[in-house]
Amino acid sequence: MSDDSKYPSELAERFQVRMPEGLRDRIKEAAERSGRSMNAEILQALEQHFPPQPSIFEVLERVHEAIDLAQQSNGLPYRRMLIESLDELSERVSSGLETDQFVSMTLPNHHKQMSDFTARFKRWKRASEYGVELSDLKRELERGLFANAGHDKIALAIKSFKEGDVNAALKLFRLDKTKFAEPEKSYQAIEDHLRNFYAENWGPPDSAGEF
């Protein structure tokens, strides 16, 4: 099957491009060297520059491959930090947040890693269908989900919660489109965390007259 037959002309989207002087000749030369038509050569270049977005399964697989490589790199001084960061990323993606605790197993290490990967993928699928679980949300809150939010954003979010405008509060952290398995408990957990975070950094919010 030729490259052009992959893209039947009657099904292909058409898009006209104005080429600067000399570019057409360079494409023609490259196509001749590779044994492709000019159309196929252009498509090949576009595919390389604009690859399709990886699926969540591919993302998690790459993360676990990186964790495995980091675990084998005993000489790297930042190995532990890298493993922990990748592990945290995998858990956050799995939980459904932008972001089940695993039971200790006695299987060989590579079997356990595959089991962890499978469990996390199932968690992501479950979060997509039913929403982010409360336990996952609380774990990410403790890990610092809002740690980089400033005083004004935290204050405004607390004010929105107090006024009953949950959506406005969540929107400040781009969580307004996130589905939660237990919405009311999740909103309360977020509000409580924000109030505690504010108190730890700037003092009790209500007594300070902010709200």
Side-chain angles (χ1 to χ4, degrees):
M1 179 183 292
S2 66
D3 290 322
D4 288 333
S5 64
K6 298 177 184 177
Y7 310 98
S9 59
E10 66 272 13
L11 299 178
E13 294 185 24
R14 298 185 180 278
F15 184 78
Q16 291 185 336
V17 179
R18 293 190 180 92
M19 295 186 183
E21 186 177 353
L23 178 57
R24 187 181 186 282
D25 292 335
R26 298 202 300 273
I27 295 173
K28 182 179 179 181
E29 290 176 3
E32 290 174 350
R33 287 196 301 271
S34 60
R36 289 190 284 255
S37 68
M38 288 183 62
N39 184 75
E41 190 69 25
I42 292 171
L43 289 174
Q44 175 69 17
L46 290 173
E47 286 282 1
Q48 290 179 352
H49 194 72
F50 301 104
Q53 292 295 319
S55 67
I56 188 65
F57 189 88
E58 292 171 328
V59 170
L60 290 176
E61 184 175 31
R62 291 173 189 174
V63 168
H64 277 266
E65 286 177 354
I67 293 173
D68 187 48
L69 288 174
Q71 289 174 332
Q72 297 175 30
S73 304
N74 295 320
L76 293 177
Y78 54 85
R79 184 177 67 89
R80 175 47 49 193
M81 183 184 299
L82 176 61
I83 292 172
E84 290 175 352
S85 297
L86 288 170
D87 199 48
E88 180 178 334
L89 170 63
S90 175
E91 282 200 325
R92 180 168 295 185
V93 172
S94 303
S95 70
L97 291 165
E98 228 279 356
T99 347
D100 309 333
Q101 299 301 317
F102 302 123
V103 179
S104 178
M105 301 171 64
T106 57
L107 293 173
N109 190 51
H110 66 280
H111 287 290
K112 184 179 185 302
Q113 288 177 341
M114 180 55 69
S115 179
D116 284 354
F117 169 69
T118 302
R120 290 183 181 186
F121 182 68
K122 287 180 178 178
R123 281 168 57 203
W124 175 80
K125 291 286 286 184
R126 190 166 63 247
S128 299
E129 185 173 356
Y130 301 109
V132 177
E133 295 182 7
L134 184 61
S135 59
D136 282 335
L137 172 64
K138 288 183 175 180
R139 184 193 65 242
E140 295 305 325
L141 288 172
E142 290 303 315
R143 282 181 167 177
L145 188 61
F146 302 141
N148 294 324
H151 169 277
D152 293 343
K153 183 179 287 189
I154 298 291
L156 185 56
I158 295 174
K159 184 174 185 291
S160 296
F161 271 119
K162 187 174 182 180
E163 294 173 350
D165 195 345
V166 174
N167 190 67
L170 297 179
K171 196 170 185 178
L172 291 167
F173 306 103
R174 299 181 181 179
L175 291 175
D176 52 310
K177 303 298 183 185
T178 301
K179 182 166 62 175
F180 295 96
E182 300 176 85
E184 296 305 319
K185 291 182 179 180
S186 296
Y187 303 153
Q188 189 62 55
I190 292 173
E191 182 180 4
D192 291 345
H193 180 82
L194 290 174
R195 284 183 166 277
N196 291 335
F197 185 82
Y198 189 99
E200 290 173 3
N201 290 276
W202 303 289
D206 294 313
S207 63
E210 294 270 359
F211 313 102

